[in-house]
Amino acid sequence: MDHREELRSIVGRAHCFAGDEIDQRYRTDLLGLYTCSPSCVVRPGSAGEVARVMEAARKARIAVTVLGGGTGGVGGTACTDGGIILSLERMNRVLEIDEDAMTITAEAGVTLQSLQEAAAGKGLLMPLDIGSRGSATIGGNIATNAGGLRTLRWGMMRDMVLGLEAVLADGTVVSRLGKVLKDNAGYDWKHLFIGSEGTLAIVTQAVLRLRPLPTTAQTALLAFDTVEQASRLLRRLQRDLDGRLSSFELMWRDFFNVIGQAQSARRPLPMSPEYRLYAIVEALGSHPERDRQVFEEVLSAIFDGGVVHDGVIAQSERERQNIWALREDLLEPLAALSPFAGFDISLSLLDMDRFIEQTDAKMGEMLPGAVVLHYGHGGDGNMHLIVSHPALHDPQVMHATECLVYDAIRQYRGSIAAEHGIGQAKLEFLDRSRSREEIALMRSLKQALDPLNLLNPGKVFPAAG
């Protein structure tokens, strides 16, 4: 029997399609950089069906790539030609909200926004928040260990996962959907799958930790000169705001000016573009009058201390949204910079100025006139770097630009992948962040769990040889 007919017998003919029936969204990644020709797309409706699909794929020796919301930027969900795309879009149910345990249990195809809204309806917060919340799925968030705007306070996706159900390469279903915070009964295998980009198992269900839903948001835009000042400001805010600091987003002047000017027709810049560094600071709490008073008192003391040169405190939800738009409303401004190279990297906050000085100088020599923008999650050391230049249409120039940035990251003992993983885009550069011994260990784990290399092959680390 043809493997597609066997798959149709498992999920139903309406949920397994091939050839011209395959929509373009299954054939290319978000940015259109990676394309593929799958033999079919299969949409199982349960973990049991996922398990049977994997059994059929194993029998036919056909690779399987899992697809969630398709919002990744590193080619992690483009399958090998002739492989199977396994979409979890039908597995999109919130199964339980336990208000007493403050947990939510959901299938992997639920979008982050749907889960946030379901939790909020019970007065609870799903702390993870990313710009693609409306389309990114919980399974994809787990597969990439997503971070985002509130990592500073509540951590990355790994810190929210209490239990998992997953299907292994041979079709075995492993399930530990517990709600306890402490569980040291042997290996905590779920952490092996979190961040593995679908190369070790297919996550089908998760139990996630929720928090009380904040009812107040105090937001400010602050301006200063150096990352040393940013570091002192960050630590002081964490201390004086009693742990309520949720976001500390950094924007360098180059980014602030370009994005602000691109948005000027829709909203005015909330502050003069003359300063070198800007930070969006947000504290979430539950006591309207007290939270506002404390926030203003803390910022007043900081202004008096001379660390901050200028600042704007949002006085309304509209002003708050205008401040956040500088950081989140990037689609049109960045599209205007095409072609560009985008980088998602991590390094110590105190190393950022030296890193920028070093890479900007080399970039200026290699790409005279290049537009280089710097911004990111300053509270957790995650910097996003955009390099725009007409020559980046040339793959060799693009590669040289990547080498320049990632070689510098190795020098500063940082990470080439802060949030979005390795996928295909960064295969060559994994050794800038991981030693030979670490990569060998990763290969051993892959061999043990997926000896036939069926789960998302060609991702995370290069083929052996």
Side-chain angles (χ1 to χ4, degrees):
M1 180 188 298
D2 179 87
H3 72 277
R4 285 167 289 202
E5 285 305 312
E6 183 170 1
L7 294 175
R8 290 182 182 116
S9 72
I10 295 169
V11 302
R13 183 166 294 275
H15 301 298
C16 178
F17 37 90
D20 293 339
E21 298 174 325
I22 300 177
D23 189 83
Q24 186 62 23
R25 67 191 175 99
Y26 298 110
R27 299 178 181 273
T28 186
D29 71 317
L30 176 68
L31 302 177
L33 299 177
Y34 298 91
T35 59
C36 61
S37 299
S39 67
C40 62
V41 174
V42 59
R43 302 187 300 187
S46 67
E49 289 187 358
V50 174
R52 291 175 64 194
V53 167
M54 285 310 306
E55 290 171 357
R58 184 170 181 253
K59 181 171 64 176
R61 298 293 196 270
I62 297 177
V64 176
T65 295
V66 185
L67 178 66
T71 60
V74 292
T77 57
C79 72
T80 56
D81 287 342
I84 297 168
I85 290 283
L86 190 151
S87 170
L88 295 174
E89 59 198 285
R90 292 177 61 211
M91 298 176 61
N92 58 6
R93 296 179 300 161
V94 173
L95 300 172
E96 180 196 48
I97 300 177
D98 188 330
E99 297 175 64
D100 294 324
M102 288 204 298
T103 63
I104 188 166
T105 304
E107 293 178 315
V110 175
T111 65
L112 175 58
Q113 183 171 328
S114 295
L115 192 141
Q116 288 174 330
E117 292 171 352
K122 299 293 185 179
L124 296 168
L125 173 74
M126 173 57 187
L128 182 72
D129 193 32
I130 56 179
S132 57
R133 63 185 73 84
S135 49
T137 64
I138 293 303
N141 296 154
I142 292 171
T144 57
N145 189 27
L149 302 173
R150 300 171 182 160
T151 300
L152 171 64
R153 181 169 177 182
W154 286 293
M156 298 181 73
M157 192 62 171
R158 185 182 303 279
D159 300 288
M160 302 167 205
V161 177
L162 296 177
L164 278 187
E165 174 188 81
V167 176
L168 303 182
D170 64 358
T172 299
V173 179
V174 289
S175 182
R176 181 67 177 171
L177 294 170
K179 301 177 182 179
V180 296
L181 292 177
K182 295 181 177 180
D183 184 359
N184 287 319
Y187 301 149
D188 197 351
W189 52 264
K190 67 177 180 289
H191 287 293
L192 189 59
F193 299 155
I194 300 169
S196 67
E197 302 184 47
T199 62
L200 299 180
I202 301 171
V203 172
T204 52
Q205 193 177 144
V207 179
L208 305 172
R209 185 182 184 187
L210 303 178
R211 304 297 175 117
L213 183 68
T215 56
T216 70
Q218 313 300 330
T219 309
L221 178 65
L222 308 177
F224 40 92
D225 286 327
T226 67
V227 292
E228 287 80 8
Q229 291 172 329
S231 180
R232 292 199 300 272
L233 175 62
L234 172 61
R235 303 312 166 204
R236 183 164 179 179
L237 289 169
Q238 287 178 305
R239 181 194 70 193
D240 294 350
L241 291 175
D242 300 323
R244 289 182 291 109
L245 181 66
S246 304
S247 300
F248 189 83
E249 298 292 303
L250 282 183
M251 300 174 288
W252 276 257
R253 180 166 51 209
D254 46 41
F255 176 87
F256 188 86
N257 286 346
V258 168
I259 302 303
Q261 290 172 10
Q263 297 178 356
S264 60
R266 297 192 300 277
R267 60 182 72 88
L269 268 177
M271 190 183 294
S272 167
E274 65 185 281
Y275 304 106
R276 182 172 180 271
L277 263 172
Y278 300 81
I280 298 176
V281 171
E282 185 162 275
L284 301 179
S286 302
H287 303 281
E289 292 185 9
R290 189 186 73 185
D291 291 347
R292 183 74 180 182
Q293 179 182 353
V294 170
F295 190 74
E296 291 180 350
E297 288 175 351
V298 169
L299 290 188
S300 178
I302 288 171
F303 291 144
D304 291 343
V307 173
V308 173
H309 299 316
D310 199 358
V312 174
I313 299 176
Q315 301 298 319
S316 66
E317 179 60 23
R318 181 177 181 179
E319 290 185 7
R320 175 178 176 267
Q321 291 178 2
N322 283 344
I323 289 174
W324 273 111
L326 287 166
R327 182 62 182 79
E328 290 203 286
D329 189 7
L330 305 182
L331 187 60
E332 290 183 17
L334 293 185
L337 295 174
S338 183
F340 66 82
F343 298 91
D344 161 47
I345 55 180
S346 279
L347 67 164
S348 167
L349 179 60
L350 291 176
D351 285 334
M352 287 185 179
D353 273 349
R354 291 191 295 274
F355 172 85
I356 290 172
E357 182 179 358
Q358 174 184 334
T359 54
D360 278 11
K362 292 182 178 179
M363 204 75 69
E365 296 173 1
M366 187 172 73
L367 297 171
V371 175
V372 186
L373 310 182
H374 308 84
Y375 67 106
H377 311 298
D380 54 51
N382 179 187
M383 177 190 288
H384 297 300
L385 173 65
I386 301 293
V387 181
S388 172
H389 192 279
L392 289 170
H393 275 304
D394 184 337
Q396 292 184 335
V397 176
M398 178 69 78
H399 182 260
T401 304
E402 293 170 336
C403 289
L404 190 160
V405 172
Y406 294 139
D407 286 346
I409 280 294
R410 175 162 54 188
Q411 176 184 338
Y412 287 97
R413 301 180 66 84
S415 174
I416 65 168
E419 292 184 304
H420 298 292
I422 299 297
Q424 299 178 66
K426 303 179 185 180
L427 288 176
E428 175 189 346
F429 304 106
L430 183 61
D431 64 355
R432 270 62 162 189
S433 291
R434 294 287 183 260
S435 67
R436 286 180 298 175
E437 292 79 11
E438 289 177 293
I439 295 173
L441 175 59
M442 292 164 65
R443 291 189 190 280
S444 295
L445 292 170
K446 173 69 169 175
Q447 176 64 26
L449 288 168
D450 183 15
L452 299 179
N453 195 26
L454 298 180
L455 286 172
N456 210 9
K459 316 304 192 309
V460 180
F461 46 78

